[in-house]
Amino acid sequence: MAVHKEENFSYRLWRYDGAPGELIPLLQSAQDHFGYIPRKAISYISGVTGIPESDIYGVITFYSQFRLRPMGKYVIKACAGTACHVSDSKTIIETIEDELGIEVGGTTEDGLFTLNTVACIGCCSLAPVIMINDDTHGRLTPASLRKLLRSYKRREKSSQGDKSAA
Amino acid sequence: MKKVIVGMGTCGLSAGARQTYERFSELLSENPGVFELAHTSCIGMCYREPLVEIREGEDRILYGEVTPELADEIYQSHIARGKILEDHVALHLGKGGAAKGSESEFYSLQNKIVLRNCGTIDPESIDEYEEKGGYRAIRKVLEEMEPAEIIGVIKESGLRGRGGAGFPTGLKWSFAAGYDSEIKYVVCNADEGDPGAFMDRSVLEGDPHSVLEGMVICARAIGASSGYIYCRAEYPLAIHRLTIAIGDAREKGYLGENILGSGFSFDIEIKQGAGAFVCGEETALFASIEGQRGMPRIRPPFPAEKGLWGKPTNNNNVETYANVPWIITNGADAYSAFGTEKSRGTKVFALAGKVVHGGLAEVPMGTSIHDLVFKIGGGIKEGREFKAVQMGGPSGGCIPAHLDHTPVDFESIPATGAIMGSGGMVVLDDKTCMVEIARFFLEFTQEESCGKCTFCRIGTLRMLEILTKITKGEGEPEDIEKLLVLGEQIKESSLCGLGQTAPNPVLSTIRYYRDEYEAHINDKKCPAGSCSALVDFLIDPEKCTGCTICAKNCPVDAITGKAKEVHVIDGSICVKCGKCITSCNFDAVYKK
Ligand SMILES: Cc1cc2nc3c(=O)[nH]c(=O)nc-3n(C[C@H](O)[C@H](O)[C@H](O)COP(=O)(O)O)c2cc1C
Ligand code: FES
C-alpha cells in the first residue's frame, strides 16, 4: 500500500533539498516504483544527493526490506515469527519451496512467484500464516497450502490462455 | 437506529472482514436508511474475527466469525426483526456495563486504559476520538499546567516504559527537560520487532490519536518542537491511519504552529522502518532516521543529552505514550491505583501460540500468568498440556508451567530469567521442544545482529551451531557447559541490548529444561516429539488414500504400499527429510 501517492520516486528526487535523513525514504520510493532497486536508481540517487554509491549500497544491504533483484508477480511472505514457528511454519515453508521449486529469497523462472520469510505479520492467532501480495491466508496445512498455490497457478494459466486466444 | 460496526484491523481483514463489510454495504443499498454502517479496529478478540457489532444506544452486541452468509442472517433476524442470534453472540455489553455472551470472561477480567478506544471508535475519525474525551488532555496541559507540573504528574503516576526495559517515564522526561537546547526531539518507537507481539500495531490501527496526544504532551513537558514516529514498514494499515490522524490533528489545531492558540508549536513526521530488528534499539533507531545503517551507538551520552541529530531527545514506546493522555485527564492517583507497588497501571499482552483465545488483553500489572493463560486465554488448544510461556521474544525467556502463579510485573518476571519485554506472550504446549525454541530465537538474533560487536556477531553464531547440532541429535555432553559460558560472555561484552539479551532464551531453557537438552544429547531423543532427526515419521491409516505421492517423493524409497492402499514408512531406511509430510495432499503423515 503506497501511503503518499504524490511522493513518488521522481518527485522525491526533484524535491530533494539536501535535508539529511532522506536516503531511506528515497530508496523506499524507488522500490515502490520499480518493485526493486535497480542499479540505475542507485546512480541517480548518488548523483542527486552526493552520497557515494558505496554508502548507498551499504544502507540497502543492511535493511531486509530492500531488494536488488526484480520480484515475481506474486510475492509470498511466509511468516517465520514465534507463534507461527510453534505451529510448524517450517513445514509450511518447505512445502512452498517444494511446490514452486524455489528456495527462500528466490523467484520462479516464469517470474510469477517470489518467496520471502518475515517475522510476524501480526495475525498470530491464525498461525501458521502466509501473505500472497496483500492477501493473508491462515491456519494452513501442507495440503491446504498446495491447493492454494495451485489455484494461483491455474488462474494465471487460464488468464494467459485467454490472452493468446484473443 | 441500529449501527453495524465491522472490525477492520489487520486481524479482522485477514479473516475476511472486507467481504463481510461489503455484504452489509449491499444490504444497506438494498434497504436504504434501515441501519448505519461503520468500521472500527481490533477489540482484542482476534480468535473470533471477523467481528461485527450491532450497537443501539448503550446496548452493544458483538457477533463472532461473521461470514457474508451470517451477515444476511444477522440482517434478517437481528436488524429487521430485533431477534438476537444468541448462538453467534461473542459478547453482549448492556447498560450498566455487565458483560454476557461466550467471551464475557475474556472481556470482564480486563481493565482498558491503553485500549480504551480500540474496537470502539472509528480510528479514522478525529470527531469520535474527541467525543470519547480525546484531546482534552492537551487543552489541560496547555492552559492549566507548567511543564514541570506535567512531569510531576507522570512521575507520580508511576508509569514505566512499555518498550521493554521499564524505565520510569517521568524521570526520563525530566532528563530531556533538563538540557538547554533550541532544538529537541520527541520520538515514538513503533518498530515492534518482537515476532509474536502485536500490541503497538493494534493501538496505532485502533486509536492513533491517543499516541499523537501523548507525544504532544511530552513535547510540551520537555520543550520539543518536532517529533518522529518510527513505524515498521510491515504495518501498512497503521501507517495509513497515522497519516490520516496527523492530517486531521493539524487541521483542528492540535498539531503544528501555535497549538490551540497557546504559542506552543510542535509537529510530527512518520518515518518508515526498513526491516531491521536492531532498529528498535533507540540509538540504532536514531541512526536509521538519519538515513544510515541502523547501528547502535555507545551510551553515554544518553539520548536526553545527545540523541537524534545530536540534540536532546526523548524516546518512548507507543503504549507508553498512549497511557499519557489518560493519566493527565484522570490524574496520577487513578492510574497508580492499578497494578503493584513498583509496577503501576495496566499492561497490554499479545496472547499467541497454543492458547485458545489468541488476541490482545490489557490487565492490571500483577495479574498472574495463570489467569492470563487460563481465564482470559481460555486454556490450551486441543486440550493439551500447558508447558510454558515465552515472554520478551528474542531477548526473553521461557517461564515454566509450575511458576504460573508468577505475577506479571517488572520485578517478578525478570526473577524467573525471562523479561517483561514489550508484552508478547507465546504459549507453549507439551509438543513444543524447548531446545528447538531456543535455537529458533538464536537464529533470529544471529541474523539480526548488526555485526558491530565481535561477541554478538560471532558468539551467537557459535551458540546457534551448537544448538543446531543438538537438535539434529549430534550433541556432545560438554555442549551445555559451552552454551552457558558463551552465553555469559556475550551478555557481558555486547554494546547494546540485542547482544546483552540474546543468550537469554538459551540460558532460561537450560535452567528449567536441562533434562530435555540431556535427552537430545545422551539418549538422542526429543521428548516433545518435534525435532525431525530424533522422531519417527508415521502415516495415519485413517487419512491415507493410497495416492502413492509420498512414495514417489521419498528419496530413499523408505515408503511402500500399493495404489489405493494404506502406505507404510520403514523407519530403518527413513532419513527424516520430511518430503513425505510436505508432499501429502491429505495431511496423513505425522511425526512422533
Ligand atoms: C534489540 C532491541 C530492540 C528493541 N526493540 C524495541 C521495539 O521494537 N519497540 C520499543 O518500543 N522498544 C524497543 N527497544 C527498547 C528501546 O531501545 C527503548 O528502550 C524504548 O523504546 C524506550 O521506550 P519506553 O521507555 O517507553 O519503554 C529495543 C531495544 C533493543 C536493545
Ligand atoms: S508469528 Fe506469524 S503472524 Fe505473528
Side-chain angles (χ1 to χ4, degrees), chain B residues 105-162:
Chain B
E105 192 162 38
F106 177 83
Y107 191 85
S108 334
L109 288 167
Q110 301 191 46
N111 284 91
K112 301 203 176 198
I113 293 178
V114 172
L115 302 177
R116 57 194 178 274
N117 295 323
C118 287
T120 303
I121 64 168
D122 175 355
E124 296 178 15
S125 158
I126 192 169
D127 296 338
E128 290 196 17
Y129 180 66
E130 286 177 313
E131 267 165 41
K132 290 275 169 187
Y135 288 119
R136 258 182 241 163
I138 287 195
R139 212 173 276 281
K140 184 165 169 184
V141 300
L142 291 176
E143 288 168 6
E144 299 166 23
M145 294 169 85
E146 290 298 319
E149 265 178 85
I150 305 173
I151 294 177
V153 172
I154 300 299
K155 272 188 181 163
E156 229 175 279
S157 73
L159 174 64
R160 294 171 64 171
R162 300 303 195 230

Short mmCIF file of all heavy atoms in Angstrom, two decimals, chain B residues 105-162:
data_model
loop_
_atom_site.label_atom_id
_atom_site.label_comp_id
_atom_site.label_asym_id
_atom_site.label_seq_id
_atom_site.Cartn_x
_atom_site.Cartn_y
_atom_site.Cartn_z
N GLU B 105 -15.89 -13.72 29.91
CA GLU B 105 -14.76 -13.81 30.84
C GLU B 105 -13.51 -13.17 30.24
O GLU B 105 -12.75 -12.49 30.92
CB GLU B 105 -14.48 -15.26 31.22
CG GLU B 105 -13.53 -15.35 32.39
CD GLU B 105 -13.53 -16.70 33.10
OE1 GLU B 105 -13.65 -17.71 32.39
OE2 GLU B 105 -13.40 -16.71 34.32
N PHE B 106 -13.30 -13.39 28.96
CA PHE B 106 -12.18 -12.77 28.26
C PHE B 106 -12.23 -11.26 28.45
O PHE B 106 -11.21 -10.60 28.63
CB PHE B 106 -12.27 -13.10 26.76
CG PHE B 106 -11.19 -12.46 25.92
CD1 PHE B 106 -9.94 -13.04 25.82
CD2 PHE B 106 -11.43 -11.28 25.24
CE1 PHE B 106 -8.94 -12.45 25.06
CE2 PHE B 106 -10.43 -10.69 24.47
CZ PHE B 106 -9.19 -11.28 24.38
N TYR B 107 -13.42 -10.71 28.44
CA TYR B 107 -13.58 -9.26 28.47
C TYR B 107 -13.57 -8.71 29.89
O TYR B 107 -12.92 -7.72 30.18
CB TYR B 107 -14.90 -8.90 27.77
CG TYR B 107 -15.06 -7.44 27.50
CD1 TYR B 107 -14.50 -6.88 26.35
CD2 TYR B 107 -15.74 -6.62 28.38
CE1 TYR B 107 -14.64 -5.53 26.09
CE2 TYR B 107 -15.88 -5.27 28.12
CZ TYR B 107 -15.33 -4.73 26.97
OH TYR B 107 -15.46 -3.39 26.72
N SER B 108 -14.29 -9.37 30.81
CA SER B 108 -14.50 -8.76 32.12
C SER B 108 -13.25 -8.68 32.98
O SER B 108 -13.17 -7.87 33.88
CB SER B 108 -15.56 -9.51 32.93
OG SER B 108 -16.44 -10.15 32.12
N LEU B 109 -12.28 -9.56 32.71
CA LEU B 109 -11.09 -9.53 33.56
C LEU B 109 -10.11 -8.43 33.16
O LEU B 109 -9.06 -8.28 33.74
CB LEU B 109 -10.38 -10.89 33.50
CG LEU B 109 -11.13 -12.00 34.23
CD1 LEU B 109 -10.56 -13.36 33.86
CD2 LEU B 109 -11.05 -11.80 35.73
N GLN B 110 -10.47 -7.68 32.13
CA GLN B 110 -9.55 -6.67 31.64
C GLN B 110 -9.88 -5.28 32.17
O GLN B 110 -11.01 -5.01 32.55
CB GLN B 110 -9.59 -6.64 30.11
CG GLN B 110 -9.22 -7.96 29.47
CD GLN B 110 -9.01 -7.83 27.99
OE1 GLN B 110 -8.34 -6.92 27.53
NE2 GLN B 110 -9.58 -8.73 27.22
N ASN B 111 -8.86 -4.42 32.20
CA ASN B 111 -9.06 -3.01 32.51
C ASN B 111 -8.43 -2.22 31.38
O ASN B 111 -7.23 -2.25 31.20
CB ASN B 111 -8.33 -2.62 33.80
CG ASN B 111 -9.06 -3.12 35.01
OD1 ASN B 111 -8.79 -4.21 35.48
ND2 ASN B 111 -10.00 -2.34 35.49
N LYS B 112 -9.26 -1.54 30.63
CA LYS B 112 -8.73 -0.93 29.42
C LYS B 112 -8.40 0.55 29.60
O LYS B 112 -9.30 1.37 29.73
CB LYS B 112 -9.70 -1.14 28.27
CG LYS B 112 -9.95 -2.62 28.01
CD LYS B 112 -10.41 -2.87 26.60
CE LYS B 112 -10.56 -4.36 26.38
NZ LYS B 112 -10.60 -4.74 24.99
N ILE B 113 -7.11 0.83 29.60
CA ILE B 113 -6.65 2.22 29.58
C ILE B 113 -6.03 2.51 28.22
O ILE B 113 -6.51 3.35 27.47
CB ILE B 113 -5.66 2.49 30.73
CG1 ILE B 113 -6.39 2.36 32.07
CG2 ILE B 113 -5.03 3.86 30.58
CD1 ILE B 113 -5.51 2.56 33.29
N VAL B 114 -5.01 1.74 27.89
CA VAL B 114 -4.36 1.92 26.58
C VAL B 114 -5.34 1.57 25.46
O VAL B 114 -5.43 2.28 24.45
CB VAL B 114 -3.12 1.02 26.48
CG1 VAL B 114 -2.55 1.04 25.07
CG2 VAL B 114 -2.07 1.46 27.49
N LEU B 115 -6.09 0.50 25.65
CA LEU B 115 -7.01 0.05 24.61
C LEU B 115 -8.40 0.65 24.78
O LEU B 115 -9.38 0.11 24.29
CB LEU B 115 -7.12 -1.49 24.63
CG LEU B 115 -5.81 -2.27 24.45
CD1 LEU B 115 -6.06 -3.77 24.56
CD2 LEU B 115 -5.17 -1.97 23.11
N ARG B 116 -8.48 1.79 25.52
CA ARG B 116 -9.80 2.33 25.87
C ARG B 116 -10.70 2.55 24.66
O ARG B 116 -11.92 2.38 24.75
CB ARG B 116 -9.64 3.63 26.66
CG ARG B 116 -8.83 4.74 25.93
CD ARG B 116 -8.42 5.85 26.90
NE ARG B 116 -7.61 6.90 26.29
CZ ARG B 116 -6.28 6.85 26.14
NH1 ARG B 116 -5.62 5.79 26.55
NH2 ARG B 116 -5.62 7.84 25.57
N ASN B 117 -10.11 2.93 23.54
CA ASN B 117 -10.94 3.21 22.37
C ASN B 117 -10.83 2.16 21.27
O ASN B 117 -11.55 2.23 20.28
CB ASN B 117 -10.54 4.56 21.77
CG ASN B 117 -10.83 5.72 22.71
OD1 ASN B 117 -11.84 5.70 23.41
ND2 ASN B 117 -9.96 6.71 22.74
N CYS B 118 -9.90 1.23 21.43
CA CYS B 118 -9.67 0.26 20.35
C CYS B 118 -10.87 -0.65 20.18
O CYS B 118 -11.34 -1.26 21.14
CB CYS B 118 -8.43 -0.57 20.62
SG CYS B 118 -6.92 0.36 20.40
N GLY B 119 -11.35 -0.74 18.96
CA GLY B 119 -12.51 -1.57 18.69
C GLY B 119 -13.81 -0.91 19.06
O GLY B 119 -14.88 -1.52 18.99
N THR B 120 -13.75 0.34 19.50
CA THR B 120 -14.95 1.06 19.90
C THR B 120 -15.23 2.23 18.97
O THR B 120 -16.35 2.48 18.57
CB THR B 120 -14.81 1.56 21.35
OG1 THR B 120 -14.56 0.44 22.17
CG2 THR B 120 -16.05 2.27 21.82
N ILE B 121 -14.13 2.96 18.63
CA ILE B 121 -14.34 4.13 17.76
C ILE B 121 -13.81 3.85 16.36
O ILE B 121 -13.06 2.90 16.13
CB ILE B 121 -13.63 5.38 18.32
CG1 ILE B 121 -12.10 5.19 18.35
CG2 ILE B 121 -14.15 5.73 19.70
CD1 ILE B 121 -11.33 6.47 18.62
N ASP B 122 -14.20 4.72 15.44
CA ASP B 122 -13.64 4.68 14.10
C ASP B 122 -12.29 5.40 14.16
O ASP B 122 -12.24 6.60 14.39
CB ASP B 122 -14.59 5.40 13.13
CG ASP B 122 -14.00 5.51 11.73
OD1 ASP B 122 -12.83 5.12 11.54
OD2 ASP B 122 -14.71 6.00 10.84
N PRO B 123 -11.20 4.66 13.96
CA PRO B 123 -9.88 5.27 14.15
C PRO B 123 -9.57 6.35 13.12
O PRO B 123 -8.63 7.11 13.29
CB PRO B 123 -8.91 4.09 13.98
CG PRO B 123 -9.67 3.03 13.27
CD PRO B 123 -11.11 3.24 13.59
N GLU B 124 -10.37 6.41 12.06
CA GLU B 124 -10.11 7.43 11.05
C GLU B 124 -10.95 8.68 11.29
O GLU B 124 -11.04 9.56 10.43
CB GLU B 124 -10.33 6.86 9.65
CG GLU B 124 -9.34 5.74 9.36
CD GLU B 124 -9.52 5.06 8.01
OE1 GLU B 124 -10.22 5.62 7.15
OE2 GLU B 124 -8.94 3.97 7.83
N SER B 125 -11.60 8.75 12.44
CA SER B 125 -12.44 9.91 12.72
C SER B 125 -11.96 10.63 13.98
O SER B 125 -12.04 10.11 15.09
CB SER B 125 -13.89 9.45 12.91
OG SER B 125 -14.61 10.40 13.67
N ILE B 126 -11.46 11.83 13.79
CA ILE B 126 -10.97 12.60 14.94
C ILE B 126 -12.16 13.01 15.83
O ILE B 126 -12.04 13.12 17.04
CB ILE B 126 -10.14 13.82 14.48
CG1 ILE B 126 -9.40 14.46 15.67
CG2 ILE B 126 -10.99 14.87 13.79
CD1 ILE B 126 -8.34 15.49 15.28
N ASP B 127 -13.33 13.19 15.21
CA ASP B 127 -14.52 13.57 15.99
C ASP B 127 -14.87 12.50 17.02
O ASP B 127 -15.19 12.81 18.17
CB ASP B 127 -15.73 13.78 15.08
CG ASP B 127 -15.51 14.96 14.13
OD1 ASP B 127 -14.65 15.81 14.47
OD2 ASP B 127 -16.16 15.01 13.07
N GLU B 128 -14.79 11.22 16.59
CA GLU B 128 -15.13 10.17 17.54
C GLU B 128 -14.12 10.11 18.68
O GLU B 128 -14.47 9.83 19.83
CB GLU B 128 -15.23 8.80 16.83
CG GLU B 128 -16.45 8.73 15.94
CD GLU B 128 -16.81 7.30 15.53
OE1 GLU B 128 -16.35 6.34 16.17
OE2 GLU B 128 -17.57 7.16 14.55
N TYR B 129 -12.85 10.39 18.36
CA TYR B 129 -11.84 10.42 19.43
C TYR B 129 -12.15 11.55 20.41
O TYR B 129 -12.09 11.38 21.63
CB TYR B 129 -10.44 10.60 18.83
CG TYR B 129 -9.33 10.64 19.86
CD1 TYR B 129 -9.02 9.53 20.63
CD2 TYR B 129 -8.58 11.81 20.06
CE1 TYR B 129 -8.01 9.56 21.57
CE2 TYR B 129 -7.55 11.85 21.01
CZ TYR B 129 -7.28 10.72 21.76
OH TYR B 129 -6.27 10.75 22.70
N GLU B 130 -12.53 12.70 19.87
CA GLU B 130 -12.87 13.84 20.75
C GLU B 130 -14.10 13.54 21.60
O GLU B 130 -14.16 13.88 22.77
CB GLU B 130 -13.11 15.09 19.91
CG GLU B 130 -11.83 15.68 19.35
CD GLU B 130 -12.08 16.89 18.46
OE1 GLU B 130 -12.98 16.80 17.58
OE2 GLU B 130 -11.41 17.91 18.64
N GLU B 131 -15.09 12.88 21.00
CA GLU B 131 -16.30 12.53 21.75
C GLU B 131 -15.99 11.66 22.96
O GLU B 131 -16.68 11.72 23.97
CB GLU B 131 -17.27 11.75 20.86
CG GLU B 131 -18.29 12.63 20.15
CD GLU B 131 -18.96 11.85 19.03
OE1 GLU B 131 -19.28 10.65 19.25
OE2 GLU B 131 -19.14 12.43 17.94
N LYS B 132 -14.94 10.83 22.81
CA LYS B 132 -14.55 9.96 23.93
C LYS B 132 -13.64 10.69 24.91
O LYS B 132 -12.96 10.06 25.73
CB LYS B 132 -13.83 8.72 23.38
CG LYS B 132 -14.74 7.79 22.65
CD LYS B 132 -15.41 6.85 23.64
CE LYS B 132 -16.54 6.08 22.97
NZ LYS B 132 -17.30 5.30 23.93
N GLY B 133 -13.55 11.98 24.79
CA GLY B 133 -12.71 12.75 25.72
C GLY B 133 -11.32 13.02 25.19
O GLY B 133 -10.46 13.54 25.91
N GLY B 134 -11.10 12.68 23.93
CA GLY B 134 -9.78 12.86 23.35
C GLY B 134 -9.42 14.33 23.17
O GLY B 134 -10.29 15.17 22.97
N TYR B 135 -8.13 14.61 23.25
CA TYR B 135 -7.53 15.94 23.11
C TYR B 135 -7.91 16.90 24.23
O TYR B 135 -7.55 18.06 24.19
CB TYR B 135 -7.81 16.55 21.72
CG TYR B 135 -6.99 15.86 20.65
CD1 TYR B 135 -7.58 15.19 19.59
CD2 TYR B 135 -5.60 15.86 20.73
CE1 TYR B 135 -6.81 14.51 18.63
CE2 TYR B 135 -4.82 15.20 19.78
CZ TYR B 135 -5.43 14.53 18.75
OH TYR B 135 -4.65 13.88 17.81
N ARG B 136 -8.62 16.40 25.25
CA ARG B 136 -8.86 17.26 26.41
C ARG B 136 -7.58 17.42 27.23
O ARG B 136 -7.36 18.44 27.85
CB ARG B 136 -9.96 16.67 27.28
CG ARG B 136 -11.27 17.39 27.08
CD ARG B 136 -12.33 16.83 27.98
NE ARG B 136 -13.41 16.28 27.19
CZ ARG B 136 -14.33 15.44 27.65
NH1 ARG B 136 -14.26 15.02 28.90
NH2 ARG B 136 -15.30 15.01 26.88
N ALA B 137 -6.76 16.38 27.21
CA ALA B 137 -5.52 16.44 28.00
C ALA B 137 -4.58 17.50 27.44
O ALA B 137 -3.90 18.20 28.20
CB ALA B 137 -4.85 15.07 28.03
N ILE B 138 -4.54 17.65 26.12
CA ILE B 138 -3.69 18.70 25.54
C ILE B 138 -4.15 20.06 26.01
O ILE B 138 -3.36 20.91 26.43
CB ILE B 138 -3.75 18.67 23.99
CG1 ILE B 138 -3.00 17.47 23.46
CG2 ILE B 138 -3.18 19.95 23.42
CD1 ILE B 138 -2.71 17.54 21.98
N ARG B 139 -5.46 20.27 25.95
CA ARG B 139 -6.00 21.54 26.38
C ARG B 139 -5.60 21.81 27.85
O ARG B 139 -5.15 22.90 28.20
CB ARG B 139 -7.53 21.51 26.25
CG ARG B 139 -8.15 22.83 25.93
CD ARG B 139 -9.65 22.66 25.64
NE ARG B 139 -9.93 22.27 24.26
CZ ARG B 139 -9.92 23.13 23.24
NH1 ARG B 139 -9.65 24.40 23.43
NH2 ARG B 139 -10.18 22.71 22.02
N LYS B 140 -5.74 20.76 28.65
CA LYS B 140 -5.42 20.92 30.07
C LYS B 140 -3.95 21.29 30.28
O LYS B 140 -3.64 22.22 31.03
CB LYS B 140 -5.76 19.61 30.81
CG LYS B 140 -5.56 19.67 32.30
CD LYS B 140 -6.25 18.48 32.97
CE LYS B 140 -5.87 18.36 34.43
NZ LYS B 140 -6.44 17.17 35.04
N VAL B 141 -3.03 20.60 29.61
CA VAL B 141 -1.62 20.91 29.85
C VAL B 141 -1.25 22.29 29.32
O VAL B 141 -0.40 22.96 29.90
CB VAL B 141 -0.62 19.85 29.30
CG1 VAL B 141 -0.86 18.50 29.90
CG2 VAL B 141 -0.65 19.78 27.80
N LEU B 142 -1.89 22.69 28.22
CA LEU B 142 -1.52 23.99 27.66
C LEU B 142 -2.13 25.14 28.46
O LEU B 142 -1.52 26.20 28.58
CB LEU B 142 -1.95 24.10 26.19
CG LEU B 142 -1.18 23.21 25.22
CD1 LEU B 142 -1.76 23.32 23.82
CD2 LEU B 142 0.30 23.58 25.21
N GLU B 143 -3.31 24.92 28.99
CA GLU B 143 -3.99 26.04 29.65
C GLU B 143 -3.75 26.09 31.15
O GLU B 143 -3.78 27.16 31.75
CB GLU B 143 -5.49 25.98 29.34
CG GLU B 143 -5.77 26.36 27.89
CD GLU B 143 -7.20 26.04 27.45
OE1 GLU B 143 -8.01 25.64 28.32
OE2 GLU B 143 -7.48 26.21 26.25
N GLU B 144 -3.53 24.90 31.76
CA GLU B 144 -3.51 24.92 33.22
C GLU B 144 -2.21 24.46 33.85
O GLU B 144 -2.04 24.56 35.06
CB GLU B 144 -4.63 24.01 33.77
CG GLU B 144 -6.02 24.42 33.36
CD GLU B 144 -7.02 23.30 33.64
OE1 GLU B 144 -6.74 22.46 34.51
OE2 GLU B 144 -8.07 23.27 32.96
N MET B 145 -1.29 23.88 33.05
CA MET B 145 -0.13 23.26 33.70
C MET B 145 1.20 23.80 33.21
O MET B 145 1.38 24.06 32.03
CB MET B 145 -0.17 21.73 33.49
CG MET B 145 -1.33 21.05 34.17
SD MET B 145 -1.51 19.33 33.65
CE MET B 145 -0.38 18.50 34.77
N GLU B 146 2.15 23.91 34.11
CA GLU B 146 3.53 24.23 33.77
C GLU B 146 4.20 22.93 33.34
O GLU B 146 3.85 21.86 33.85
CB GLU B 146 4.26 24.78 35.00
CG GLU B 146 3.81 26.15 35.44
CD GLU B 146 4.06 27.20 34.37
OE1 GLU B 146 5.14 27.15 33.74
OE2 GLU B 146 3.17 28.04 34.15
N PRO B 147 5.22 23.01 32.46
CA PRO B 147 5.93 21.79 32.06
C PRO B 147 6.37 20.95 33.26
O PRO B 147 6.22 19.72 33.25
CB PRO B 147 7.12 22.32 31.27
CG PRO B 147 6.61 23.58 30.65
CD PRO B 147 5.68 24.18 31.66
N ALA B 148 6.89 21.59 34.29
CA ALA B 148 7.37 20.81 35.45
C ALA B 148 6.23 20.06 36.13
O ALA B 148 6.42 18.97 36.67
CB ALA B 148 8.06 21.73 36.44
N GLU B 149 5.04 20.67 36.10
CA GLU B 149 3.88 20.01 36.70
C GLU B 149 3.50 18.74 35.93
O GLU B 149 3.12 17.74 36.53
CB GLU B 149 2.67 20.94 36.65
CG GLU B 149 2.42 21.77 37.88
CD GLU B 149 1.22 22.66 37.63
OE1 GLU B 149 0.08 22.20 37.84
OE2 GLU B 149 1.43 23.81 37.17
N ILE B 150 3.60 18.84 34.59
CA ILE B 150 3.26 17.67 33.76
C ILE B 150 4.18 16.52 34.15
O ILE B 150 3.74 15.39 34.40
CB ILE B 150 3.46 17.97 32.25
CG1 ILE B 150 2.66 19.20 31.83
CG2 ILE B 150 3.09 16.76 31.41
CD1 ILE B 150 2.94 19.66 30.40
N ILE B 151 5.48 16.82 34.20
CA ILE B 151 6.45 15.77 34.55
C ILE B 151 6.15 15.23 35.94
O ILE B 151 6.21 14.02 36.18
CB ILE B 151 7.89 16.33 34.44
CG1 ILE B 151 8.18 16.67 32.98
CG2 ILE B 151 8.90 15.32 34.98
CD1 ILE B 151 9.53 17.29 32.72
N GLY B 152 5.75 16.13 36.84
CA GLY B 152 5.40 15.71 38.20
C GLY B 152 4.27 14.69 38.20
O GLY B 152 4.35 13.67 38.89
N VAL B 153 3.23 14.94 37.41
CA VAL B 153 2.09 14.03 37.37
C VAL B 153 2.51 12.66 36.81
O VAL B 153 2.13 11.62 37.34
CB VAL B 153 0.93 14.62 36.52
CG1 VAL B 153 -0.17 13.58 36.32
CG2 VAL B 153 0.39 15.86 37.19
N ILE B 154 3.32 12.69 35.75
CA ILE B 154 3.74 11.42 35.14
C ILE B 154 4.62 10.64 36.12
O ILE B 154 4.48 9.42 36.28
CB ILE B 154 4.49 11.66 33.80
CG1 ILE B 154 3.58 12.38 32.80
CG2 ILE B 154 5.00 10.35 33.21
CD1 ILE B 154 2.33 11.64 32.42
N LYS B 155 5.49 11.36 36.83
CA LYS B 155 6.32 10.69 37.86
C LYS B 155 5.43 10.04 38.92
O LYS B 155 5.62 8.88 39.29
CB LYS B 155 7.23 11.71 38.55
CG LYS B 155 8.55 11.93 37.83
CD LYS B 155 9.45 12.80 38.71
CE LYS B 155 10.77 13.07 38.01
NZ LYS B 155 11.50 14.20 38.61
N GLU B 156 4.48 10.82 39.40
CA GLU B 156 3.62 10.35 40.48
C GLU B 156 2.77 9.13 40.07
O GLU B 156 2.47 8.27 40.88
CB GLU B 156 2.66 11.48 40.83
CG GLU B 156 2.54 11.82 42.28
CD GLU B 156 1.65 13.03 42.38
OE1 GLU B 156 2.15 14.16 42.17
OE2 GLU B 156 0.44 12.84 42.61
N SER B 157 2.39 9.11 38.79
CA SER B 157 1.54 8.01 38.33
C SER B 157 2.28 6.68 38.39
O SER B 157 1.67 5.62 38.41
CB SER B 157 1.09 8.26 36.89
OG SER B 157 2.17 8.04 36.00
N GLY B 158 3.62 6.75 38.41
CA GLY B 158 4.40 5.51 38.45
C GLY B 158 4.54 4.85 37.09
O GLY B 158 5.01 3.72 36.99
N LEU B 159 4.16 5.55 36.01
CA LEU B 159 4.25 4.96 34.67
C LEU B 159 5.70 4.61 34.34
O LEU B 159 6.60 5.42 34.52
CB LEU B 159 3.70 5.96 33.62
CG LEU B 159 3.84 5.57 32.15
CD1 LEU B 159 3.02 4.32 31.84
CD2 LEU B 159 3.41 6.72 31.24
N ARG B 160 5.89 3.37 33.86
CA ARG B 160 7.21 2.93 33.42
C ARG B 160 7.13 2.52 31.95
O ARG B 160 6.11 2.07 31.49
CB ARG B 160 7.69 1.76 34.27
CG ARG B 160 7.93 2.17 35.72
CD ARG B 160 8.20 1.01 36.63
NE ARG B 160 9.44 0.31 36.27
CZ ARG B 160 9.97 -0.66 37.04
NH1 ARG B 160 9.38 -1.02 38.16
NH2 ARG B 160 11.08 -1.26 36.68
N GLY B 161 8.26 2.72 31.25
CA GLY B 161 8.29 2.50 29.80
C GLY B 161 7.80 1.12 29.42
O GLY B 161 8.15 0.13 30.04
N ARG B 162 6.97 1.06 28.36
CA ARG B 162 6.38 -0.21 27.92
C ARG B 162 7.16 -0.85 26.78
O ARG B 162 6.72 -1.85 26.22
CB ARG B 162 4.93 0.03 27.47
CG ARG B 162 4.00 0.59 28.56
CD ARG B 162 3.97 -0.31 29.78
NE ARG B 162 2.85 0.02 30.67
CZ ARG B 162 2.97 0.21 31.98
NH1 ARG B 162 4.15 0.17 32.55
NH2 ARG B 162 1.91 0.47 32.73
#
